[in-house]
Structures are given as structure tokens and as C-alpha cells.
Amino acid sequence: MTSDRGELTNPQRRLPDLALPRAPGGEPCPLRPPGRRSPVLVLVHGAGCAACVEYVARLEAEAGPIEEWDGRPLVVAPEDLARAGGLGRRTGLPVLADPERRLGAALSVGPPAVVVADRWGEVHEVHEAGEEHRFPEPDAVVSWLRYLAIQCPECQGEAF
């Protein structure tokens, strides 16, 4: 009998190595950028969903603490570039178009949801908001980012 200890003790979920077009211009934006920023992905129903747009505005209001703890919020809309661009013009957060829903398929999650990953792309939190749009409070997102920012390098395998 063989087993992979890693699968048994810590099954990892990673962000896909994916670059989605940023609305409204279409330039590719990688989900896992180089550097030390932790992606916070907000999967929304689209520019026409009032509850999703309201949550994006609430998260945008916390941009200072999110950036302070090295967070990188990205809004992912399951629409083409033109429709996602409508949301992109209304928010200060980057909006990415994902009409093929490649991100959701790779993570087995659908909108509305919030995904918090560390700088290496390892997913630490997936919060599916459901039909009721019960998104996590923005301060809970900041708490996750704080936790990820203060992880000791020795525990993460960076120090030898």
C-alpha cells in the first residue's frame, strides 16, 4: 500500500497559472503575480448583480488595510470583456473577465465567492457566498491577509 503523505496531511489547492484579461482594456493580468502580494479573488455574478457590486464597493473601502497586509484584490466577472468593463469603470479594484469560467472550474467554486491565497498561490480560504450573497466581512478578509503576512519563513520552508 502506497500513500502520499502530503495528500493525507495537507491536501493543497493552488490557484491555476492563469492570466485573465483586465477590463476594460483587455491586457492580461496573472492571478499569481510575482512578488509578495496575496491574491484576494472575488468571483461575482457580473456587473448587473447589485449584491455583488455592493460587496465589491465594501471591499474597495478597505483597500488601505488590504494593501497594508500585502493583499491584492481582483474581481472576476463571468462575462465578456465589454460587459465586465462596465463593472471595471465603476470600481477602483481590478476587474477581470472570465466568460469561460476557467477560474471557477479550476477551483471547483462558482460565483459568488471569495478566495484568499498566499503569495505562492496556495489557497487558504474559499468562502462561497451562496444565493443569499453572504460574503465574508471585509475585516475577515483583512484578518486572513494579516495571518498570511506574518507566517514565519521557517514554517513555510523558506529558510535552510
Side-chain angles (χ1 to χ4, degrees):
M1 179 165 123
T2 63
S3 66
D4 182 1
R5 186 178 193 289
E7 285 183 21
L8 296 173
T9 60
N10 187 20
Q12 294 186 354
R13 241 169 139 177
R14 293 191 129 359
L15 291 180
D17 189 19
L18 183 65
L20 296 172
R22 185 171 174 170
E27 61 276 359
C29 180
L31 297 179
R32 296 184 342 194
R36 52 184 262 184
R37 308 275 314 269
S38 294
V40 176
L41 308 173
V42 182
L43 287 76
V44 298
H45 283 123
C49 179
C52 288
V53 171
E54 178 200 347
Y55 182 73
V56 168
R58 289 179 55 213
L59 202 61
E60 184 179 2
E62 293 295 319
I66 288 172
E67 286 183 19
E68 179 182 338
W69 291 106
D70 295 324
R72 180 179 182 243
L74 298 169
V75 179
V76 181
E79 300 173 307
D80 62 27
L81 200 53
R83 295 192 74 191
L87 179 57
R89 286 185 286 277
R90 291 188 291 180
T91 179
L93 301 180
V95 177
L96 309 180
D98 187 14
E100 295 91 20
R101 299 178 185 228
R102 294 181 293 167
L103 175 61
L107 296 176
S108 299
V109 65
V114 175
V115 177
V116 180
D118 63 21
R119 62 179 135 180
W120 299 280
E122 184 177 338
V123 174
H124 288 265
E125 172 69 359
V126 175
H127 183 101
E128 295 188 71
E131 290 180 29
E132 301 83 21
H133 289 82
R134 291 188 183 149
F135 285 103
E137 291 298 320
D139 62 338
V141 172
V142 172
S143 292
W144 266 109
L145 293 169
R146 183 181 312 116
Y147 168 77
L148 294 173
I150 63 174
Q151 292 295 295
C152 72
E154 292 83 5
C155 297
Q156 298 299 317
E158 289 183 24
F160 295 92

